[in-house]
């Protein structure tokens, strides 16, 4: 696990919810393929000649690890500042397993990207508001969303099961269109789907085929 960073703000911050998410196998194989091919860039490049794909592009990236729901916009900014400046002591790191070649887990988070979609800032295309950060720590990549309570409640009202299913369908359509233009992407996705979804026993495993490519699976 990872130590909880201390608050460095001057005021009290009320955290209403902390939500973590681990993707199921059905979603992980897509994410692995997305990362191998840098799907965001691939969609952007192909969208220049494909308007339908351009409309679907925003449905592709759907990854997050932790969501923190706080009271106000000001508190969201304060929690973000606390995370960015947090420093783990030797005592806090003592019980943490090392997942890299380092002698111990790092004392600070390595920030990769931060985007502020709060009111008055740059909003996302969907109108969704939060602070979103991606960081690396101890060999893992995490995304943290910090969201004011009012926005979280509005989001919950809009995010029905039907709308979520429609979102996933559009995301799959985007991937299917990329696979039609880049057959190797579709081949990788089919292989990863087979390896992630099929039972671990390789006996009788039917792998997808691709021209001039031989695939061998060993236990």
């Amino acid at each position: 696990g990872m130590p909880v960073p201390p608050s460095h703000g001057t005021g009290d911050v009320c955290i209403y919810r902390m939500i973590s998410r681990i993707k199921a196998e059905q979603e992980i194989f897509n994410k692995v393929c997305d990362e191998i091919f840098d799907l965001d860039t691939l969609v952007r490049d192909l969208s220049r000649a494909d308007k339908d794909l351009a409309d679907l592009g925003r449905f592709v990236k759907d990854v997050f690890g932790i969501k923190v729901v706080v009271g106000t916009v000001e508190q969201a900014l304060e929690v973000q500042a606390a995370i960015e400046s947090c420093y783990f002591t030797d005592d806090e790191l003592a019980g943490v397993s090392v997942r890299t070649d380092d002698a111990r887990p790092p004392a600070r988070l390595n920030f990769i990207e931060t985007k502020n979609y709060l009111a008055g800032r740059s909003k996302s295309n969907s109108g969704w508001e939060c602070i979103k950060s991606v960081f690396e720590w101890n060999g893992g990549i995490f995304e943290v969303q910090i969201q004011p309570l009012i926005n979280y409640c509005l989001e919950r009202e809009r995010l029905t099961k039907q709308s979520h299913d429609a979102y996933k369908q559009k995301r799959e359509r985007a991937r299917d269109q990329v696979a039609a233009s880049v057959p190797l992407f579709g081949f990788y996705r089919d292989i990863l789907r087979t390896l992630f979804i099929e039972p671990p026993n390789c006996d009788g495993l039917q792998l997808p085929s691709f021209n001039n490519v031989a695939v061998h699976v060993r236990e």
Side-chain angles (χ1 to χ4, degrees):
M2 184 175 70
V4 177
S7 173
H8 297 283
T10 56
D12 293 331
V13 173
C14 183
I15 296 180
Y16 290 91
R17 296 200 72 177
M18 288 189 68
I19 308 162
S20 63
R21 176 180 176 185
I22 300 175
K23 286 184 173 292
E25 288 86 350
Q26 290 86 343
E27 298 177 275
I28 293 176
F29 76 80
N30 268 326
K31 178 56 185 169
V32 171
C33 193
D34 294 351
E35 292 298 319
I36 290 173
F37 282 84
D38 190 5
L39 188 61
D40 288 339
T41 300
L42 196 57
V43 167
R44 185 176 65 246
D45 292 344
L46 293 174
S47 296
R48 293 167 183 159
D50 188 335
K51 185 179 183 302
D52 289 338
L53 184 57
D55 293 337
L56 293 172
R58 67 188 179 90
F59 293 99
V60 171
K61 192 172 184 181
D62 180 38
V63 179
F64 78 90
I66 301 170
K67 173 175 283 191
V68 181
V69 181
V70 298
T72 64
V73 170
E74 291 74 18
Q75 289 180 1
L77 295 171
E78 187 171 343
V79 170
Q80 177 69 20
I83 294 174
E84 291 183 2
S85 62
C86 73
Y87 180 90
F88 302 126
T89 66
D90 290 342
D91 288 342
E92 290 171 326
L93 296 173
V96 179
S97 300
V98 181
R99 298 175 53 193
T100 64
D101 294 332
D102 298 329
R104 66 170 194 169
R108 292 188 178 277
L109 306 176
N110 176 30
F111 272 80
I112 298 172
E113 177 184 62
T114 299
K115 293 184 179 180
N116 189 336
Y117 295 116
L118 293 176
R121 309 270 179 159
S122 174
K123 286 190 178 183
S124 66
N125 292 334
S126 63
W128 166 74
E129 298 182 12
C130 78
I131 302 175
K132 183 177 74 172
S133 297
V134 179
F135 61 89
E136 184 273 335
W137 186 80
N138 196 24
I141 302 292
F142 304 87
E143 180 171 299
V144 175
Q145 297 177 8
I146 306 172
Q147 191 173 36
L149 181 61
I150 182 63
N151 299 115
Y152 173 75
C153 293
L154 292 172
E155 178 183 85
R156 296 292 295 175
E157 287 182 3
R158 292 195 298 263
L159 189 60
T160 63
K161 183 180 185 302
Q162 289 76 14
S163 66
H164 182 65
D165 289 345
Y167 182 96
K168 291 178 67 174
Q169 291 170 5
K170 290 179 179 178
R171 193 173 64 222
E172 282 301 294
R173 281 175 52 201
R175 289 191 175 99
D176 289 343
Q177 288 185 239
V178 169
S181 299
V182 185
L184 189 61
F185 173 84
F187 172 63
Y188 267 66
R189 187 166 63 140
D190 290 342
I191 283 186
L192 290 166
R193 179 191 290 113
T194 301
L195 296 178
F196 274 92
I197 303 303
E198 292 291 330
N201 188 347
C202 294
D203 293 340
L205 191 64
Q206 298 295 318
L207 287 173
S209 60
F210 195 78
N211 291 338
N212 301 318
V213 175
V215 179
H216 301 278
V217 179
R218 297 180 180 176
E219 291 189 78

